[in-house]
Amino acid sequence: PYTMKDNGHTVELDMDSPFEIELTGNSSAGYSWKVVEIDTDVIKQIGKPGYVPSDGRVGSGGTYPFRFQTVDYGETELVLAYSRSFEPGEPPPKTFRMKIISGTMGRILGE
């Protein structure tokens, strides 16, 4: 899966390619990762994201796995934010951005 080390990168994928992004966080503080920008004409989210504790202990931190799939040719930016739902006006302390190019036509259309 892609991780925070891939933040800001561009990835080229074939049509109908599944991919996963796995980000770390700690739900005990009320924070969670959420998709805040997605172009559903190019990619779709598969299933609902969850939280997986790293060692099963409360407060120990864990990962938020997200699954997606390309659905059409194109180029888009996918953005996820790590924030608390009860602080809607505050900027998120962390964001994850990835430019997705789907199929060879995505590269041509983007140029």
Side-chain angles (χ1 to χ4, degrees):
Y2 297 105
T3 63
M4 195 54 126
K5 70 177 178 49
D6 301 299
N7 187 23
H9 291 184
T10 298
V11 296
E12 295 185 43
L13 302 167
D14 292 329
M15 277 289 301
D16 298 317
S17 289
F19 64 99
E20 188 172 332
I21 297 172
E22 192 173 274
L23 301 169
T24 59
N26 191 332
S27 68
S28 67
Y31 286 94
S32 64
W33 282 99
K34 293 179 178 65
V35 175
V36 294
E37 189 176 319
I38 185 171
D39 182 348
T40 55
D41 290 335
V42 180
I43 56 177
K44 70 176 179 179
Q45 189 170 353
I46 301 170
K48 293 188 177 210
Y51 175 72
V52 180
S54 58
D55 64 8
R57 293 182 305 155
V58 175
S60 64
T63 59
Y64 292 83
F66 291 85
R67 294 179 55 218
F68 301 94
Q69 182 174 346
T70 58
V71 294
D72 201 355
Y73 296 106
E75 183 175 311
T76 188
E77 185 173 51
L78 175 63
V79 181
L80 292 88
Y82 186 63
S83 61
R84 294 193 260 202
S85 60
F86 54 87
E87 294 177 342
E90 296 293 316
K94 295 184 209 176
T95 57
F96 177 88
R97 295 176 181 275
M98 180 177 278
K99 186 175 187 178
I100 309 292
I101 298 173
S102 175
T104 54
M105 286 301 293
R107 172 68 70 186
I108 294 167
L109 295 172
E111 292 179 351

